[in-house]
Amino acid sequence: MARTGFPDDLYGDLIASGPGGAAAKRLGLPVPPRLRRYAPGQDFLTGPAVVLRVGTAPPAADVAAWLAAAGAHVVADPDAAGGDRLGAVVVDATAARRLADLAQLRELLAPAFRRTARSGRVLVLGAVPAEVGGDAGAGFAGAFGDVEGRAVQQALEGLVRSLGKEARGGTTVNLLRVAAGAGEALRSPVEFLCSSRAAFVSGQSLLVGPAPAPAPVRERRVVVVTGAARGIGAAIAEVLARDGVHVVCVDVPAAGEQLAHVANRVRGSALTLDVTAGTAPRALAEHLRRRFGGADAVVHNAGVTRDRSFVNLDEAAWDTVLGVNLAAPLRLTEQLLSTDGALAPGARLVCLSSINGLAGAKGQTNYAASKAGLVGFVQALAGPLAERGMAVNAVAPGFIETPMTAAMPPVPREVGRRASSLQQGGLPVDVAEAVAWLASPGAGGVVGQVLRVCGQHVTGA
Ligand SMILES: NC(=O)c1ccc[n+]([C@@H]2O[C@H](COP(=O)([O-])OP(=O)(O)OC[C@H]3O[C@@H](n4cnc5c(N)ncnc54)[C@H](O)[C@@H]3O)[C@@H](O)[C@H]2O)c1
């Protein structure tokens, strides 16, 4: 089996062999680390966890207790870990307001970072810069508000992204912005980003706010996944099923056989539906209402590409891509929201965007427009949905090893695969873990966000 689980990462396979890895190191070539991915029954972390705190204000939350409850052995400081390398380092910098606090952060974090284990986790908790204030008179001219406090909080962004690029051995570095009143809503994001489910998430910043009152959790949650017959959609169905969800697998009639196979494998159900058909929104809404009493989450994953330079792009290539990738999620969501009983209370929506949608890509004006459009869709809908106790977010995958990327010409494929801090393509399961987490009841404090699952890819970083 290839080390990446994909047959054509020849370089990755070569490096995985002892002599190949040693030769690559000597030549200064990238040595992609083997990532530790989630497997049932494995230890939560690869070593003890430490929770550090900048400043003297009370901590944002009892992170140490959450980590311990998730199975971590939490030690008071890096030295208390004995000779063990650290599985997770969490730094609560929410109270940092002065440059001296940043200096303290460096002092605390540097020795711990040096001692992180392979596939370790570094997580910085920061405040929301726009919420920093009210401290007039202190620091930078009080008349302007707490300018120094905001600058210090923004500084965390650069620090975390740089640290992600310096991390080795599959260690990831991320930032959680803790909004006022987030409280318990922070727990699930902390657990996710410290876990092996987030193996391909690094260099990211995510905002966490207060979660609405939780809706009653049904015995078996029901989640719709469009484009579930193969690739990332099939992986999403598998991860959701692993987590006890009934998955309604949707795909075009032409993919019916593959779809039935996936639905059987995950003990879910299959619904053949072209999401662009005029009748699709009503058919899906009625199916969910009648058969399940509403869906707990909908994953808009179905997507297509028709790459061509802008001047050579014909109407069909434009319409197909915009129709599947953007118009269908808009129309389906509109109908689901206006059909009583199609969505369960507290429902979650997750859209599959793309880092190419955030950054743009040559030959992909149609695709990037559709994927950037989904980000706008998520941001516009976040507020109104939050008022209904629902949440919508996007996941933006980077280079993922799928038949889509396997079909790329060899040179751009190899460049794309290595151009991230983790120096390899992600696997469909990496995207699936992030989607399943955002669709889970615990993720209620994350709303209107775009989570990149890209190993900190250089594109649009
Ligand atoms: N593979 C990557 O590297 C990558 C990177 C960024 C984003 N994405 C996004 O992730 C999603 C999944 O990508 P993938 O690589 O698994 O793609 P894929 O081509 O392997 O699978 C897409 C699925 O969507 C289905 N589909 C297409 N049109 C449909 C329609 N009209 N109605 C219902 N189903 C339809 C297809 O039949 C297929 O099963 C897409 O939205 C894609 O844009 C993928």
Side-chain angles (χ1 to χ4, degrees):
M1 171 71 123
R3 66 186 297 285
T4 55
F6 233 72
D8 61 344
D9 186 356
L10 297 178
Y11 180 79
D13 289 342
L14 184 70
I15 296 306
S17 74
K25 254 187 203 156
R26 268 201 310 279
L27 293 169
L29 294 171
V31 182
R34 186 182 292 274
L35 303 184
R36 178 180 189 254
R37 295 188 163 88
Y38 176 77
Q42 75 181 172
D43 287 342
F44 177 53
L45 299 173
T46 50
V50 66
V51 181
L52 308 169
R53 189 147 56 90
V54 175
T56 50
D62 197 352
V63 173
W66 293 342
L67 292 179
H73 169 49
V74 184
V75 295
D77 60 68
D79 292 333
D84 289 345
R85 293 203 151 262
L86 298 168
V89 180
V90 180
V91 191
D92 183 348
T94 49
R97 295 291 183 276
R98 305 288 156 251
L99 288 167
D101 297 330
L102 275 184
Q104 190 201 0
L105 185 146
R106 186 200 63 79
E107 228 170 89
L108 287 171
L109 183 52
F113 183 65
R114 199 174 291 127
R115 291 176 58 174
T116 47
R118 295 184 74 76
S119 289
R121 296 285 177 264
V122 177
L123 184 59
V124 177
L125 308 182
V128 180
E131 289 184 1
V132 170
D135 199 10
F140 193 81
F144 296 103
D146 191 357
V147 176
E148 185 173 340
R150 285 198 186 192
V152 163
Q153 282 298 324
Q154 196 60 39
L156 298 178
E157 204 100 11
L159 185 138
V160 161
R161 291 188 201 282
S162 302
L163 216 48
K165 295 183 181 195
E166 289 184 19
R168 293 284 168 267
T171 288
T172 63
V173 187
N174 292 291
L175 173 65
L176 282 175
R177 292 281 184 203
V178 187
E184 273 289 311
L186 184 61
R187 182 176 188 153
S188 176
V190 166
E191 278 176 10
F192 173 70
L193 289 173
C194 285
S195 76
S196 50
R197 293 168 198 244
F200 203 59
V201 180
S202 195
Q204 301 309 303
S205 165
L206 209 57
L207 175 70
V208 186
V217 180
R218 296 197 286 182
E219 203 173 310
R220 192 153 188 224
R221 288 187 301 130
V222 175
V223 178
V224 180
V225 180
T226 67
R230 65 178 203 196
I232 292 171
I236 295 170
E238 269 165 34
V239 169
L240 286 166
R242 178 201 69 194
D243 293 347
V245 167
H246 176 96
V247 186
V248 181
C249 304
V250 174
D251 214 300
V252 286
E257 206 173 307
Q258 260 180 304
L259 184 70
H261 187 66
V262 173
N264 282 341
R265 205 165 61 226
V266 304
R267 295 171 194 273
S269 49
L271 178 67
T272 48
L273 195 70
D274 177 342
V275 293
T276 62
T279 51
R282 197 172 286 274
L284 180 63
E286 281 307 310
H287 181 76
L288 295 175
R289 187 177 66 83
R290 289 219 182 102
R291 177 104 190 259
F292 302 103
D296 296 276
V298 178
V299 182
H300 292 299
N301 164 79
V304 291
T305 51
R306 296 286 185 277
D307 295 358
R308 242 154 270 169
S309 66
F310 189 53
V311 289
N312 291 326
L313 204 55
D314 58 20
E315 198 181 331
W318 179 266
D319 288 350
T320 302
V321 171
L322 271 290
V324 176
N325 298 5
L326 184 56
L330 285 168
R331 302 290 160 255
L332 291 180
T333 305
E334 196 178 14
Q335 184 69 49
L336 293 174
L337 287 171
S338 60
T339 305
D340 275 346
L343 294 175
R348 302 284 152 77
L349 306 178
V350 186
C351 297
L352 269 288
S353 181
S354 160
I355 59 168
N356 284 359
L358 309 179
K362 202 171 154 189
Q364 289 201 318
T365 45
N366 51 353
Y367 182 75
S370 71
K371 295 298 182 180
L374 282 177
V375 174
F377 164 77
V378 162
Q379 289 169 346
L381 205 55
L385 279 194
E387 281 170 23
R388 295 189 184 195
M390 298 180 182
V392 57
N393 291 285
V395 167
F399 186 102
I400 305 298
E401 304 281 0
T402 63
M404 191 173 107
T405 45
M408 289 168 71
V411 173
R413 186 178 63 199
E414 190 54 19
V415 170
R417 175 184 274 156
R418 303 289 161 225
S420 71
S421 297
L422 294 172
Q423 299 177 315
Q424 60 197 287
L427 299 184
V429 70
D430 298 327
V431 180
E433 294 282 11
V435 169
W437 170 61
L438 285 171
S440 74
V446 181
V447 171
Q449 303 283 296
V450 180
L451 175 59
R452 290 171 50 125
V453 180
C454 63
Q456 198 177 22
H457 202 275
V458 292
T459 300

